[in-house]
Amino acid sequence: MLGLKLPTDPRWVNIVEKNIEEILTDHAFCEQKATSTAISLIVSFPEYTELVQEMTALVKEEISHFKMVHDKIIERGWVLGRDRRDDYVIELLKFFPKGGSRTTQLVHRLLYAALIEARSCERFRLLSETLKDKELAAFYKNLMVSEANHYTMFLGFARQYGEKKEVDTKWQQLLEYEAKIMSDLGKKETVHG
């Protein structure tokens, strides 16, 4: 369903289980960045009323997810660590050239967002199915559904605002590029790395 070309190696969960504190901190910042992305889309493209409406709802949802993850950190007696460099997103953002029309820029940002949500969904599914910590596994199962909805929403908007055939071609190319990035990642206790 997600269309990802390279699934996460299931052994990634073993890395995560050795440092739950690290994955929760990274996850909290992923939720904060998702909130910021939705706000940025509102600020950059205010004339797209339907997008603004959906991004407003997404801001509320993503910040509530941040709070949920932050609460998990506190429950375990930890504090939120500092934000980490996200090599996955840094590499992903190199795919599309800078510039182009406003519509092209919007479509590219929507495709990036869709892919990040798709990979998060895939990772959360893996965590929900294989974490030994059953309470945390259930937590990730609930979040997995949200990520899938976000993925389809962003991809749907890209197809709505761009030329569908061109968007679908770019999407497939981005998926291939992402698979190459993922072949070098998956060795850290981060949501995407």
Side-chain angles (χ1 to χ4, degrees), residues 4-47:
L4 299 172
K5 303 293 184 187
L6 182 66
T8 296
D9 185 329
R11 293 175 294 183
W12 170 75
V13 177
N14 300 331
I15 297 168
V16 167
E17 286 186 314
K18 291 176 184 167
N19 197 345
I20 297 294
E21 184 176 3
E22 185 69 25
I23 190 75
L24 287 174
T25 293
D26 185 68
H27 180 187
F29 281 106
C30 287
E31 298 294 356
Q32 180 270 324
K33 290 169 190 167
T35 304
S36 296
T37 295
I39 292 169
S40 175
L41 285 167
I42 293 168
V43 170
S44 299
F45 302 98
E47 69 273 25

Side-chain angles (χ1 to χ4, degrees), residues 19-30 32-33 73 79-90 188-193:
N19 197 345
I20 297 294
E21 184 176 3
E22 185 69 25
I23 190 75
L24 287 174
T25 293
D26 185 68
H27 180 187
F29 281 106
C30 287
Q32 180 270 324
K33 290 169 190 167
I73 291 168
V79 295
L80 180 63
R82 295 184 62 84
D83 190 11
R84 279 87 169 143
R85 174 185 159 98
D86 192 334
D87 292 327
Y88 173 81
V89 172
I90 290 167
K188 296 194 299 191
E189 58 282 318
T190 59
V191 173
H192 301 112

